[in-house]
Amino acid sequence: MKITPFLDRRLSRRFSTYDSDQDGFVERSDFDLASARLTEAFGLTADDVPAERFHEQLLSVWGHLAAMTDTNDDERISLAEYKSAFVRGLLGRPEAFDDVYVPYLDALLAVADHDGDGFLGIEEHVLWSRALMNVSEADARAAHARLDHDGDGLIGTEDLLSALRAYYFSEDADGPGAWLLGPL
């Protein structure tokens, strides 16, 4: 896979959201920290069932990411390793993408869907985006508006999955995926 300038910006931005402690590397501890921030933001403790499930799924994402990218086996991922995995086609395969992200998004909604309606309203979306990926409130609101295709104020798992797919696989700079983590 060729990394276009636009994909390069998206990969750099996504890497920074994985790097919870902003030390320039992605490690398992970044995923532990992100999980704790998210569950705390929604008033859960680490031993609440939705929090445990989310943490487990987030660590599954970490495991997949590390297995595909950590070429020097130092248990941390550099930005160069992350981008190189895309060039080699290890992360950029839509068929493997859904296997990792569908259970993750289901677990995310179990935490972030605070009112239990099966969807994320604007406030829920802003809260999870800020807690998990450090997206600003304004950017999270803009992303939510782009993901809410029918204008009912709600987005679901399929909306998020479509946006994630587009984030990685679409060159449409105005599409909802391009705005998922804020403007690029």
Side-chain angles (χ1 to χ4, degrees), residues 22-103:
Q22 299 298 296
D23 68 352
F25 294 93
V26 176
E27 303 165 277
R28 178 191 162 135
S29 61
D30 290 307
F31 286 73
D32 290 329
L33 181 60
S35 178
R37 279 196 324 257
L38 179 75
T39 55
E40 182 180 308
F42 283 93
L44 301 175
T45 63
D47 59 345
D48 286 326
V49 172
E52 288 177 343
R53 181 173 166 230
F54 178 75
H55 188 245
E56 177 183 302
Q57 288 303 317
L58 195 57
L59 290 183
S60 177
V61 172
W62 158 250
H64 175 74
L65 189 63
M68 298 293 115
T69 61
D70 184 15
T71 57
N72 62 2
D73 295 323
D74 64 354
E75 297 184 17
R76 63 186 196 166
I77 303 163
S78 69
L79 180 58
E81 286 174 315
Y82 183 64
K83 289 180 180 179
S84 176
F86 266 87
V87 169
R88 294 188 326 267
L90 297 177
L91 292 176
R93 295 178 305 148
E95 62 277 3
F97 187 81
D98 287 7
D99 292 341
V100 173
Y101 275 99
V102 168

Side-chain angles (χ1 to χ4, degrees), residues 2 21 37 44 69 79 82-84 103 111 119 122-123 129-130 146 148 152 163 168 170 175:
K2 181 179 186 261
D21 61 10
R37 279 196 324 257
L44 301 175
T69 61
L79 180 58
Y82 183 64
K83 289 180 180 179
S84 176
V111 171
F119 298 94
I122 184 69
E123 299 307 323
S129 295
R130 292 190 68 174
R146 287 178 176 263
D148 181 13
D152 67 357
Y168 290 107
S170 173

Side-chain angles (χ1 to χ4, degrees), residues 139-160:
D139 290 344
R141 287 181 183 282
H144 189 276
R146 287 178 176 263
L147 296 175
D148 181 13
H149 302 291
D150 61 6
D152 67 357
L154 303 172
I155 58 174
T157 301
E158 190 55 44
D159 298 314
L160 289 171

Side-chain angles (χ1 to χ4, degrees), residues 94-129:
E95 62 277 3
F97 187 81
D98 287 7
D99 292 341
V100 173
Y101 275 99
V102 168
Y104 162 75
L105 290 174
D106 287 343
L108 172 64
L109 254 68
V111 171
D113 176 18
H114 205 62
D115 61 11
D117 66 356
F119 298 94
L120 295 177
I122 184 69
E123 299 307 323
E124 294 165 326
H125 181 86
V126 167
L127 191 55
W128 86 262
S129 295

Side-chain angles (χ1 to χ4, degrees), residues 5-34:
F6 184 49
L7 179 57
D8 187 69
R9 288 193 312 273
R10 288 177 287 160
L11 292 176
S12 294
R13 175 69 173 122
R14 184 61 178 123
F15 183 87
S16 74
T17 66
Y18 280 135
D19 185 10
S20 293
D21 61 10
Q22 299 298 296
D23 68 352
F25 294 93
V26 176
E27 303 165 277
R28 178 191 162 135
S29 61
D30 290 307
F31 286 73
D32 290 329
L33 181 60

